[in-house]
Amino acid sequence: MTLLSRDAERTQLDGALAACMRGDTGIVLVEGAVGCGKSALLRHCADAAHRHGAATVRAAYPDCATDLTTAVGDIPERTPVVVCLDDIDQADAASLGRLTAWVRTTSHTARAGGLLLVLTTADAPSRDAGLDTELLKHPAYTRIRIGLLDRTATAALVRQHTGTPAARAVADGLHRISGGNPLLLRALLSEPGHVPEPGGPFSRAVLTCLERCGAAAPRLARALAALGDSATTERIASVLRMTPTEAARTLTALRATGLALGDRLRHAATAAAVLDGMDPTEREELHRRVARVLHASRAEAAVIADSLRACGGIDDSDESGSSCSSCSSCSSCSSDNCGSSGSDWVVPVLREAAQQAMAVDEPERAAACLQLAHASCATAADEHARGEIMLQLAALTRRLSPAAAEQHLEEPLAALRAGRLGAATAGHLARLLVAQGRIEEGAEALSRTTGTDALRELFALPPGGSHPTPPGGEHLSPCAALWTHPGHQDDAKDAERFLDGAPAAQGTHEALAQAVRTLIHTDQPRRAAEWCRRLQEKAARHRAPGLRATYGTLHAEALLRLGDLAGAEREASTAIRAVAGRGGHFRSAPVAVLVMALTNMGRYDEAARHLEPLVPERTLATVHALPLLRARGQYFLATHRAEAALGEFLDLGRLARRWDLDRPRQHPWRTDAAEALLRLGRHQEATALIAEQLALPDATGARLRGVALRLRAATEVPRERTRLLTRAVAELRGSGDRLELAPPPPDRSSTTPRPEWNSSGVATAPADVTSAVSGRTAPSSS
């Protein structure tokens, strides 16, 4: 094999060999880090000696117990002899003693044919001082030092290995990982795609290098891997319970191998190989010691938290906490700030680390810190902290997994009912319960706080009008406010101003969603869709599938109002996929919009498949039940099950009244129920419900009036029916609700003509709008 970037070293060896062939005696010591090519240089010398007719004696310790005097003495006196001894740093004391004696003899006894002794050793040889002295005293002693390959030599080795020139970026990347160590580089080149894999050739080569660097090297490498970017000589020494001088000496050896760069391991793959090679129990104990040292030396919370997460936390029973690992050698450690005894600092550090992770938009890391903090609250005295942590975790995980957020609220809710939650924490719990759509439980929590304005302040809701509070609903009403529009004539303007000025941040998402919901319910679905697109893009950039699904569901609802059924199906399906397996009760909301879209397109079998699995009783405990009930009712109505549809609409009405959400703009259950009653021929009841809705203060807006007029027309004589339908068409056109203007979807038994849809799946108003609108209800018996 060609020796790369070793021309000078090869020249020195060739010169020593030439002197030997002339009858001289010489000694060459080849010194360098593990894996840098010492053995290859030794083989080059032996091969050259053989070509020149010299006799060679080869050995690698610990097999060097052979008496060299005897071995060389068996060779004719006039034959040049080259003795090649590899890895003398691995020799035992007896072998080193014999070697020292033999070197001393050669310095006083000349051989007619010439003698050359070539030795190789690592940077930190474990040989005795006697051998060093004898080598230095020898009159023909030469020391050859070999180091790591530079970038040019690395590129040449890559070309030799692959047979083709390597791109500069590729060669630079390989040099950056291997440090120019030929052993590591060749191992890396044998990996698929030259990418280190766990347990692969590169990892095995790393462990081999460490084993041959001396007993302290593997321990120090493990400390470096666990400390990561926080490593300093003092911290390394504290973790390993050695002096900084000892740590610095071993660190120098690791730098020479290319494994370390400065006070760090050179590459993440190197650190992974080192840690993966450890026994799991020992690895956890190492991370515990590292966490304590980092805390004692006042490292950042995020850094300490990484070590705490790696070891699964620390408690007072850990043996590592019985004494300070730093006091004997770490200049930053003192009895006042050591922190190695006890674990009171663990939970505050983890909570601080979670806040830091959220500040840099790393929600998964923040959640992991909070989960460990919660698990670390082991005593009854920590119960208050446990509750607060669970609330933090619920607020955080809602953007990732709505279902997980729901589960995180169960423990603090139980603490509330047991009287173990303070007023401030109860207010935070109320906010999170309401954000999950659990209005009654939110009102229960709010009743334990100091005032009913807490939610408006916590949610940063935009200004708007108020609505009457039902009897006993002084806490229910503010909770319901998040899930409906304020009921003011300037609702849409207020919502637009809020959306335009409020940032999409951790504490504003609920209010932003309410503002979008307000635009939808105040006949501004096109503007709502535009805002949803912007908010979805932000949620995607911040890796927040839960929030993206929230805005996606609202987007689908806006598109449904616009008659873009294909778009509504697309957005609702995307929202469902975003929270697949982790949506909890929230999943009902996008499913409801999807079912409505499929139903209005006449795809009843597909709609039924989405409805069938959604029958858990607890779903009816959240506001997400309301759109689901309406979707089920619309599906039953479209498939000629008017009695079943009526039951769904009336259930919706009962829940809406119970939760103070009885707003016709948002939940027009009365007109829905009226349509079902008309199908059943119960016109008088239908007329009463229509009149009841129109009498409500919230029953304003072109869309509501249009739907009510359409339904009233079905109860009138033909002449009056035409007049009402004409007015209904005008109102619906003004509202922009193209879905209400479109003909009804076909069903299995109806003779109603198929509605008109364009190629994009968007409903288009037919030529005879009046007949289309009148076709959406059963004809009057009169």
Side-chain angles (χ1 to χ4, degrees):
M1 179 179 292
T2 303
L3 284 169
L4 297 171
S5 191
R6 303 296 186 218
D7 294 342
E9 295 88 344
R10 197 165 52 238
T11 299
Q12 285 181 283
L13 266 181
D14 291 343
L17 179 60
C20 172
M21 299 304 293
R22 293 193 300 266
D24 295 339
T25 298
I27 298 178
V28 176
L29 177 66
V30 180
E31 192 171 25
V34 174
C36 286
K38 301 185 299 296
S39 298
L41 202 59
L42 193 66
R43 286 193 297 271
H44 164 79
C45 179
D47 293 343
H50 181 73
R51 289 195 303 270
H52 285 83
T56 58
V57 177
R58 301 187 190 185
Y61 286 103
D63 298 323
C64 195
T66 305
D67 188 338
L68 291 174
T69 302
T70 302
V72 173
D74 291 340
I75 301 172
E77 179 70 19
R78 293 191 174 278
T79 301
V81 176
V82 177
V83 179
C84 299
L85 301 181
D86 204 7
D87 296 328
I88 65 168
D89 55 291
Q90 303 295 318
D92 56 30
S95 296
L96 285 173
R98 283 191 293 272
L99 178 60
T100 301
W102 189 77
V103 169
R104 185 182 305 115
T105 300
T106 61
S107 64
H108 300 291
T109 306
R111 181 181 173 82
L115 175 65
L116 175 63
L117 174 62
V118 184
L119 314 169
T120 71
T121 183
D123 279 328
S126 57
R127 58 180 185 268
D128 59 15
L131 178 59
D132 288 334
T133 301
E134 290 301 330
L135 291 174
L136 291 170
K137 287 166 55 178
H138 199 284
Y141 170 63
T142 301
R143 180 175 178 270
I144 297 177
R145 167 78 186 171
I146 63 174
L148 301 168
L149 300 177
D150 59 18
R151 294 179 184 275
T152 301
T154 297
L157 192 149
V158 174
R159 182 171 61 251
Q160 182 190 84
H161 186 275
T162 62
T164 57
R168 180 171 181 176
V170 173
D172 287 351
L174 293 171
H175 185 273
R176 185 168 56 253
I177 298 174
S178 67
N181 184 305
L183 175 64
L184 297 178
L185 182 57
R186 290 190 175 94
L188 190 57
L189 288 169
S190 66
E191 297 270 16
H194 307 332
V195 177
E197 292 184 346
F202 181 80
S203 294
R204 294 196 295 272
V206 167
L207 297 179
T208 298
C209 283
L210 290 173
E211 289 169 3
R212 294 174 59 188
C213 280
R219 294 180 60 231
L220 189 132
R222 292 164 188 163
L224 288 178
L227 282 164
D229 291 340
S230 301
T232 64
T233 303
E234 291 76 16
R235 285 172 176 168
I236 296 167
S238 297
V239 170
L240 298 178
R241 299 178 173 89
M242 61 172 57
T243 67
T245 301
E246 292 172 322
R249 185 185 307 122
T250 307
L251 186 55
T252 298
L254 289 187
R255 294 189 191 111
T257 64
L259 291 171
L261 182 64
D263 290 342
R264 320 279 191 274
L265 290 179
R266 179 176 288 275
H267 195 267
T270 306
V274 171
L275 293 175
D276 289 346
M278 296 182 68
D279 174 81
T281 302
E282 292 179 353
R283 185 168 56 240
E284 287 184 5
E285 176 57 28
L286 171 63
H287 284 297
R288 287 192 187 95
R289 293 204 306 272
V290 167
R292 291 185 181 278
V293 168
L294 289 173
H295 174 62
S297 58
R298 293 185 171 88
E300 289 189 6
V303 175
I304 304 172
D306 287 342
S307 293
L308 290 171
R309 289 167 54 202
C311 68
I314 294 176
D315 58 49
D316 292 334
S317 65
D318 291 328
E319 294 182 2
S320 62
S322 60
S323 63
C324 177
S325 64
S326 311
C327 293
S328 62
S329 56
C330 178
S331 60
S332 67
C333 181
S334 70
S335 59
D336 292 333
N337 64 23
C338 174
S340 64
S341 60
S343 57
D344 293 345
W345 53 272
V346 171
V347 172
V349 163
L350 288 167
R351 295 181 72 176
E352 183 181 351
Q355 293 178 340
Q356 292 175 353
M358 284 304 302
V360 294
D361 200 30
E362 293 182 351
E364 295 90 351
R365 187 175 181 179
C369 289
L370 289 175
Q371 286 168 346
L372 182 55
H374 180 264
S376 300
C377 295
T379 66
D382 295 327
E383 186 168 4
H384 179 70
R386 283 174 62 91
E388 289 185 341
I389 292 168
M390 288 303 285
L391 293 179
Q392 285 180 285
L393 198 52
L396 173 62
T397 55
R398 184 170 176 266
R399 60 185 293 177
L400 302 172
S401 170
E406 291 172 6
Q407 295 169 4
H408 291 321
L409 294 178
E410 297 309 313
E411 183 180 312
L413 184 58
L416 174 84
R417 289 168 175 166
R420 300 193 303 269
L421 218 60
T425 309
H428 191 191
L429 174 61
R431 178 189 189 278
L432 294 173
L433 287 167
V434 173
Q436 293 285 355
R438 297 159 69 171
I439 288 181
E440 287 185 86
E441 291 168 312
E444 178 185 356
L446 189 61
S447 68
R448 311 293 178 91
T449 65
T450 56
T452 58
D453 292 335
L455 285 180
R456 180 165 294 279
E457 295 171 1
L458 286 169
F459 283 117
L461 297 179
S466 58
H467 49 90
T469 299
E474 63 273 10
H475 297 109
L476 193 66
S477 181
C479 293
L482 181 68
W483 291 97
T484 187
H485 52 88
H488 190 269
Q489 62 180 0
D490 293 325
D491 280 353
K493 294 179 182 178
D494 290 339
E496 285 269 13
R497 280 195 294 269
F498 184 77
L499 287 165
D500 194 46
Q506 177 71 13
T508 62
H509 288 294
E510 292 85 0
L512 290 170
Q514 190 224 25
V516 171
R517 202 175 292 118
T518 297
L519 290 178
I520 295 173
H521 299 152
T522 53
D523 296 341
Q524 300 290 328
R526 194 171 303 281
R527 292 294 299 151
E530 292 173 5
W531 278 109
C532 284
R533 276 190 287 270
R534 300 181 201 178
L535 293 168
Q536 283 173 278
E537 290 173 1
K538 291 181 181 179
R541 286 197 300 270
H542 294 297
R543 305 189 314 278
L547 296 178
R548 191 176 183 186
T550 296
Y551 296 130
T553 300
L554 291 170
H555 193 182
E557 188 177 347
L559 293 176
L560 187 67
R561 288 284 183 96
L562 291 169
D564 184 355
L565 300 184
E569 178 190 9
R570 178 190 67 246
E571 293 297 327
S573 299
T574 301
I576 293 169
R577 288 194 297 271
V579 292
R582 53 186 181 184
H585 300 145
F586 166 77
R587 188 176 179 273
S588 301
V591 166
V593 185
L594 178 60
V595 169
M596 292 279 281
L598 293 173
T599 298
N600 278 280
M601 287 190 281
R603 292 158 58 183
Y604 304 124
D605 290 340
E606 293 178 63
R609 282 198 294 272
H610 289 283
L611 282 176
E612 285 174 359
L614 290 174
V615 288
E617 289 301 322
R618 289 209 62 188
T619 300
L620 296 179
T622 74
V623 297
H624 305 302
L626 302 181
L628 180 62
L629 288 170
R630 188 171 192 229
R632 290 170 62 89
Q634 294 289 349
Y635 166 78
F636 289 142
L637 205 59
T639 53
H640 291 282
R641 285 179 278 180
E643 193 71 52
L646 179 62
E648 300 292 323
F649 298 141
L650 294 178
D651 284 344
L652 191 163
R654 278 191 289 271
L655 286 177
R657 288 196 300 266
R658 176 174 165 181
W659 294 335
D660 196 21
L661 291 174
D662 190 8
R663 303 296 192 84
R665 285 188 184 183
Q666 186 174 1
H667 302 296
W669 65 270
R670 291 175 179 82
T671 48
D672 287 341
E675 187 157 1
L677 289 167
L678 289 172
R679 299 281 183 95
L680 295 169
R682 296 157 63 178
H683 291 191
Q684 187 173 357
E685 295 172 73
T687 301
L689 278 178
I690 296 168
E692 182 181 323
Q693 177 167 300
L694 290 174
L696 294 173
D698 184 60
T700 59
R703 181 178 179 277
L704 280 177
R705 288 193 298 270
V707 172
L709 289 169
R710 170 174 65 81
L711 293 172
R712 279 183 55 191
T715 66
E716 299 293 338
V717 297
R719 180 183 300 176
E720 185 62 18
R721 185 185 307 164
T722 302
R723 184 183 68 81
L724 292 174
L725 286 175
T726 301
R727 287 176 54 195
V729 168
E731 295 283 4
L732 291 172
R733 277 178 173 162
S735 73
D737 193 326
R738 300 174 70 185
L739 188 60
E740 279 291 335
L741 286 168
D747 56 51
R748 298 180 181 85
S749 59
S750 174
T751 58
T752 305
R754 183 177 289 273
E756 300 173 20
W757 313 99
N758 65 22
S759 59
S760 300
V762 178
T764 57
D768 186 357
V769 177
T770 303
S771 63
V773 173
S774 64
R776 292 186 70 88
T777 61
S780 169
S781 60
S782 59

